[in-house]
Amino acid sequence: MKKLLLLVAFCVGLLTNAQTLEEAKKAIEVNDTGTAERTLEKIIQNEPTNHEAYYFISKLYLKKGNFDGCFEMINKAINLSQNNNDYHWIKAKASLRSNSSENDFKTAIDELNFIINNSGLSGKVFATLGFTYYEYAGKFTEQTKINAIISSGNGSVNEVYNEGLKLCELAKLNYQKAIEFDKAKAEDYGYKIKEIDNYIAKLKSKIK
């Protein structure tokens, strides 16, 4: 009898959390982030393995610019549901928006490639990956990076520019793939490819 009561209580708890999650989603839809956050925190407290709750609260943190909180929550969601492309997408977006180090670009690239390899093929994903490689190329070849390499003696300027060229080529490749999946945005992606080509020419002109 005791086991039956415990099972009933467990099932009721799951049902309650499911209903509460729907309430949190509705609060998010009307931009009531305070209610949504409190509701999601309650779900996590009652059901620490609810990966959806971690996912939705990570989206709230991302919207607020709380990148540390976002990474903490989305990593928990991914640990509980590793093959969910939506979760990896949020982690990629957070990495791009925080944009504080080269590691952020690398994380975004890893997450986007995971989505692609996990059958998440779309123009949006390929375009975002192209954007990431291009932004990374700019970060990698900026003057402060070059100055640091020169002063440390751990490489040459030409090596920096050549690495930037490789990143630009990867950016182009992914924008070209984006066009294959999203013909409606072919013109927009084509402009980005031209922009990358101009940057490639600029880098090549600096190589001695």
Side-chain angles (χ1 to χ4, degrees):
M1 184 64 179
K2 186 177 179 181
K3 289 183 178 179
L4 178 61
L5 290 173
L6 288 173
L7 178 60
V8 171
F10 175 73
C11 292
V12 170
L14 291 180
L15 179 60
T16 301
N17 283 338
Q19 292 172 336
T20 310
L21 184 60
E22 289 304 312
E23 292 172 6
K25 290 179 183 179
K26 290 177 182 178
I28 292 172
E29 288 175 4
V30 298
N31 206 31
D32 186 357
T33 56
T35 298
E37 189 171 340
R38 288 190 296 272
T39 304
L40 292 167
E41 287 173 347
K42 181 180 178 181
I43 295 172
I44 290 170
Q45 184 178 11
N46 292 335
E47 189 185 350
T49 58
N50 191 317
H51 54 87
E52 284 189 282
Y54 289 116
Y55 165 66
F56 282 108
I57 202 167
S58 74
K59 291 180 71 175
L60 289 178
Y61 286 153
L62 178 58
K63 188 174 182 179
K64 292 165 63 175
N66 179 0
F67 299 115
D68 289 340
C70 177
F71 283 125
E72 180 183 359
M73 293 297 106
I74 201 61
N75 281 333
K76 288 182 178 180
I78 290 172
N79 286 337
L80 292 166
S81 182
Q82 295 182 2
N83 290 321
N84 192 311
N85 285 343
D86 289 339
Y87 299 175
H88 291 276
W89 176 254
I90 289 297
K91 188 171 181 180
K93 285 180 66 176
S95 299
L96 281 173
R97 289 190 187 178
S98 60
N99 194 18
S100 59
S101 70
E102 289 183 29
N103 284 335
D104 291 319
F105 286 109
K106 292 177 180 178
T107 298
I109 289 167
D110 287 344
E111 296 302 319
L112 292 166
N113 276 316
F114 177 92
I115 294 170
I116 290 169
N117 293 328
N118 195 37
S119 302
L121 304 176
S122 72
K124 181 177 74 171
V125 175
F126 280 117
T128 305
L129 186 54
F131 170 84
T132 305
Y133 276 122
Y134 184 43
E135 290 294 306
Y136 187 17
K139 182 83 171 180
F140 195 86
T141 56
E142 65 184 11
Q143 194 60 47
T144 52
K145 169 84 174 179
I146 293 170
N147 291 342
I149 288 177
I150 291 173
S151 61
S152 67
N154 293 325
S156 69
V157 175
N158 282 352
E159 287 174 346
V160 174
Y161 290 142
N162 281 321
E163 187 61 31
L165 288 172
K166 291 178 184 177
L167 293 170
C168 285
E169 291 296 340
L170 287 169
K172 278 183 61 177
L173 175 64
N174 280 282
Y175 272 116
Q176 288 163 351
K177 288 182 178 178
I179 292 173
E180 294 176 18
F181 283 88
D182 192 354
K183 296 282 195 295
K185 292 188 176 180
E187 186 175 355
D188 292 338
Y189 297 154
Y191 283 132
K192 291 300 296 184
I193 291 172
K194 289 179 182 178
E195 182 182 330
I196 295 167
D197 279 334
N198 290 335
Y199 194 67
I200 286 174
K202 181 180 177 180
L203 290 178
K204 286 182 176 178
S205 70
K206 293 183 177 182
I207 297 176
K208 300 176 182 179

